[in-house]
Amino acid sequence: MNIFRGIADFSHLAAIIILLHKIWKSRSCAGISGKSQILFAIVFTTRYLDLLTSFISLYNTSMKVIYISCSYATVYLIYMKFRATYDGNHDSFRVEFLVVPVGGLAVLINHDFALLEILWTFSIYLESVAILPQLFMISKTGEAETITTHYLFCLGLYRALYLFNWIWRFYFEGFFDMIAIVAGLVQTVLYCDFFYLYVTKVLKGKKLSLPA
Amino acid sequence: KAKLLLHDEL
């Protein structure tokens, strides 16, 4: 573990909690893409199947359980409890255009042609594009609630910090995982436009609205 | 290459 990964995991956990809390407190999922949340639930489910096969540390196991349970709770709130507030018209990204190519790529490019490893690879590739329905929805509605922008900032920051974690681990441990690094780069690049708007608008107290 | 890959990151 290193400082970058520590802060990154904290930022990721914060994002997940911020979103769950926002939906629960406001009893509304307006402006939230249910499709992205379903993709994240799939990402965690396919990535953390090793909960059943290997134990790394109490931290590792507990964080995985927290991520999985919070993501399913979020999906439940969006599609069941507060489904009346779900804005399906603006959450119209065709996720099959993400899942199918990502699935194919995971079968073609992976570290080991074993089921758990292919699922892990699928999860890594899927996570890099899972936020697209949410970003697409914001571009369609033309705005985002401030709490949603904080959620997105923490979510984007987490994988950006993982990039530094991988630099650290390469330098100090000689460890690197090309699949995770390339996917992490793609994932972080997809947030760049949002990061710019977040820093130039939200941090100045303005509301995030498009076109800028 | 039946590498048993242990992914230690979240």
Side-chain angles (χ1 to χ4, degrees):
Chain A
M1 177 58 85
N2 59 69
I3 183 73
F4 295 113
R5 188 142 68 100
I7 299 174
D9 289 343
F10 177 75
S11 181
H12 194 188
L13 181 63
I16 291 171
I17 301 296
I18 286 171
L19 182 66
L20 194 53
H21 181 266
K22 173 245 185 270
I23 297 175
W24 179 255
K25 274 293 172 205
S26 68
R27 303 181 69 76
S28 161
C29 57
I32 302 298
S33 163
K35 293 186 175 184
S36 275
Q37 297 312 312
I38 289 176
L39 293 181
F40 284 124
I42 295 170
V43 163
F44 293 138
T45 306
T46 51
R47 187 176 305 180
Y48 298 156
L49 289 173
D50 60 355
L51 276 172
L52 309 173
T53 59
S54 54
F55 177 80
I56 291 165
S57 69
L58 192 59
Y59 170 79
N60 188 275
T61 300
S62 48
M63 288 293 270
K64 287 176 177 177
V65 169
I66 292 169
Y67 285 1
I68 287 178
S69 42
C70 286
S71 75
Y72 277 97
T74 303
V75 169
Y76 165 77
L77 292 184
I78 292 172
Y79 285 100
M80 314 273 223
K81 196 160 177 63
F82 303 128
R83 75 173 293 114
T85 64
Y86 172 58
D87 180 6
N89 297 324
H90 288 116
D91 191 13
S92 54
F93 194 95
R94 304 287 301 278
V95 289
E96 54 273 28
F97 292 161
L98 297 178
V99 175
V100 174
V102 157
L105 194 64
V107 170
L108 293 174
I109 304 176
N110 52 62
H111 291 313
D112 186 22
F113 199 76
L115 181 64
L116 271 182
E117 187 57 27
I118 288 175
L119 287 175
W120 177 86
T121 310
F122 170 75
S123 155
I124 291 289
Y125 294 153
L126 185 61
E127 187 190 5
S128 62
V129 293
I131 200 60
L132 283 177
Q134 179 65 68
L135 298 177
F136 178 76
M137 184 174 188
I138 290 176
S139 72
K140 284 199 74 173
T141 55
E143 62 174 10
E145 287 182 52
T146 300
I147 189 67
T148 306
T149 62
H150 295 322
Y151 156 72
L152 285 169
F153 177 72
C154 290
L155 201 56
L157 181 66
Y158 126 76
R159 212 60 179 172
L161 288 173
Y162 257 74
L163 298 176
F164 293 100
N165 153 65
W166 289 318
I167 294 169
W168 173 289
R169 292 192 74 181
F170 179 66
Y171 184 74
F172 288 105
E173 303 168 29
F175 164 92
F176 79 99
D177 180 340
M178 192 51 85
I179 284 178
I181 291 170
V182 172
L185 276 168
V186 168
Q187 183 168 338
T188 303
V189 164
L190 291 177
Y191 279 86
C192 286
D193 175 39
F194 165 76
F195 281 145
Y196 172 77
L197 288 170
Y198 184 79
V199 170
T200 58
K201 281 183 178 268
V202 180
L203 292 189
K204 290 191 170 52
K206 296 182 195 135
K207 188 163 173 51
L208 188 136
S209 57
L210 308 167
Chain B
K1 47 185 174 45
K3 287 190 293 181
L4 177 72
L5 286 154
L6 198 60
H7 300 290
D8 67 340
E9 295 180 339
L10 289 176

